[in-house]
Amino acid sequence: MAGILAWFWNERFWLPHNVTWADLQSTEEASFPQAEDLYLAFPLAFCIFMIRLLFERFIAKPCALGLKVQANGPQKAQPNAILEKVFTAITKHPDEKRLEGLSKQLDWDVRSIQRWFRQRRNQEKPSTLTKFCESMWRFTFYLYIFTYGVRFLKKTPWLWNTRQCWNGYPYQPLMPDLHYYYIAELSFYWSLMFSQFIDIKRKDFGIMFTHHIITVTLITFSYVTNLTRVGTLTLCLHDAADVVLEAAKMANYCKCQKLSDLLFLTFAIVFIVISTSFPPNAKLAYLLDCHWIYSVLDKKHMGLLEITWLQVSR
């Protein structure tokens, strides 16, 4: 195991020439990012998840009901032990042969069985109210962390001159505000990844899980290798786009279609600007968002989505 770790953390790969990990150990004169700093993200991720539960119940849900967001979920299928067993243990999409067999066994017509399976599949989908509450939570966090990031970056030289991101690298002391910014972002994405296993499973589970894994990986390794200056710029720009995206989703759930269209157009513009401002390795996690945007907004937006993809893939 020690050999594998030594190979993985090879200084020739992670650090500039003639720089070692020992050179980046914190001293009384200067503090540098340390891998063990990131352990704090795990308890904070749990705290963020608990805050989310309270927020959705006592703030987001009343707001949703006040905006007349549909509270009722899809119609539930009538209880049937045989069909339930087939649904949970065999298949959620029975073929014609199985439908005919179930029809004879239950003395139901095929259309009734098809309707039962359709209703049963819809039961596993989150209600519009649930989706609105989730989006409002993410919108609130992204707005907060984006505001914090802007206030922090305004005081830094690398916001206005990106060459400062590399000035003195990797011997760039860790600022307390930068440390908090990174830990807060990392904790939030850890909480999103863990909550996927508790929330209602969705079709985009695999895509979003991969998205969160890549995001956590990029944040972690940019911190450990002290690429935090360019990391803060990337995080802030992505948070700006996420604020607009979550707002567009909330407008869509409220059936404010014109507002949703406008916000989605704004998101597409911001996304294109971000995608053409950074090299591919800095935006890999963000590209995965394209796979599921169309599923949370109206499908007529696919034209904009395709334009975004073309712009990103150039």
Side-chain angles (χ1 to χ4, degrees):
M1 180 60 71
I4 295 176
L5 290 175
W7 169 82
F8 182 81
W9 291 109
N10 192 310
E11 293 158 346
R12 293 184 179 181
F13 178 78
W14 294 105
L15 299 175
H17 187 59
N18 289 332
V19 178
T20 67
W21 293 113
D23 297 332
L24 297 180
Q25 291 296 314
S26 296
T27 63
E28 294 182 358
E29 290 77 21
S31 177
F32 298 103
Q34 305 296 311
E36 53 267 25
D37 296 345
L38 301 179
Y39 294 151
L40 181 61
F42 293 104
L44 284 179
F46 176 76
C47 293
I48 288 175
F49 178 70
M50 298 306 296
I51 293 172
R52 170 199 161 181
L53 296 180
L54 295 173
F55 178 90
E56 290 184 358
R57 180 173 181 179
F58 296 107
I59 298 178
K61 187 175 181 179
C63 289
L65 296 176
L67 293 170
K68 295 181 170 39
V69 175
Q70 183 179 355
N72 297 327
Q75 182 180 357
K76 293 185 177 181
Q78 67 181 85
N80 187 291
I82 295 175
L83 295 179
E84 184 68 27
K85 184 177 181 180
V86 173
F87 183 87
T88 56
I90 302 176
T91 179
K92 297 180 180 180
H93 299 272
D95 54 23
E96 292 184 10
K97 184 177 180 180
R98 191 175 298 279
L99 287 171
E100 291 175 359
L102 291 170
S103 176
K104 294 177 181 179
Q105 184 178 358
L106 297 172
D107 195 23
W108 286 16
D109 61 86
V110 173
R111 290 182 63 86
S112 297
I113 297 176
Q114 289 176 327
R115 187 183 307 111
W116 188 95
F117 274 92
R118 183 172 61 253
Q119 291 175 347
R120 183 63 181 83
R121 287 193 298 268
N122 289 337
Q123 279 182 220
E124 298 192 339
K125 296 180 180 179
S127 66
T128 304
L129 177 64
T130 300
K131 292 188 287 186
F132 179 91
C133 291
E134 289 181 3
S135 289
M136 187 172 178
W137 160 246
R138 297 188 187 199
F139 170 81
T140 303
F141 179 85
Y142 286 133
L143 182 61
Y144 160 73
I145 203 67
F146 171 70
T147 304
Y148 179 88
V150 170
R151 292 182 62 184
F152 162 67
L153 287 170
K154 282 198 308 183
K155 299 180 290 184
T156 65
W158 61 86
L159 174 62
W160 312 110
N161 181 8
T162 54
R163 292 184 179 181
Q164 291 293 324
C165 291
W166 315 109
N167 186 27
Y169 178 80
Y171 304 107
Q172 298 169 340
L174 178 65
M175 304 166 64
D177 287 345
L178 190 152
H179 172 74
Y180 169 79
Y181 190 23
Y182 252 77
I183 294 298
E185 291 273 14
L186 183 61
S187 301
F188 178 71
Y189 282 105
W190 272 121
S191 73
L192 289 182
M193 188 160 60
F194 293 147
S195 65
Q196 275 196 289
F197 296 94
I198 301 173
D199 295 338
I200 298 173
K201 295 292 178 65
R202 300 185 181 180
K203 291 181 180 180
D204 62 355
F205 176 87
I207 293 173
M208 291 311 302
F209 185 75
T210 304
H211 171 276
H212 298 329
I213 285 286
I214 294 175
T215 303
V216 166
T217 301
L218 291 174
I219 293 175
T220 298
F221 286 108
S222 67
Y223 183 85
V224 172
T225 57
N226 206 14
L227 290 168
T228 50
R229 292 189 176 184
V230 68
T232 53
L233 295 177
T234 306
L235 288 170
C236 191
L237 286 173
H238 286 180
D239 289 337
D242 285 330
V243 168
V244 182
L245 176 60
E246 297 302 332
K249 289 160 65 176
M250 287 193 295
N252 184 63
Y253 299 145
C254 293
K255 300 188 183 303
C256 300
Q257 201 57 52
K258 290 185 178 180
L259 178 59
S260 177
D261 293 345
L262 177 62
L263 289 170
F264 185 79
L265 176 61
T266 304
F267 165 77
I269 294 172
V270 174
F271 182 87
I272 291 171
V273 171
I274 293 173
S275 300
T276 55
S277 300
F278 286 91
N281 61 332
K283 63 192 180 190
L284 178 59
Y286 208 73
L287 293 182
L288 292 172
D289 288 337
C290 284
H291 287 285
W292 58 273
I293 291 169
Y294 76 93
S295 67
V296 295
L297 296 172
D298 197 282
K299 288 187 178 180
K300 69 181 181 180
H301 294 120
M302 281 300 293
L304 278 175
L305 184 60
E306 290 169 0
I307 293 173
T308 303
W309 261 111
L310 288 172
Q311 186 71 23
V312 169
S313 58
R314 288 175 59 183

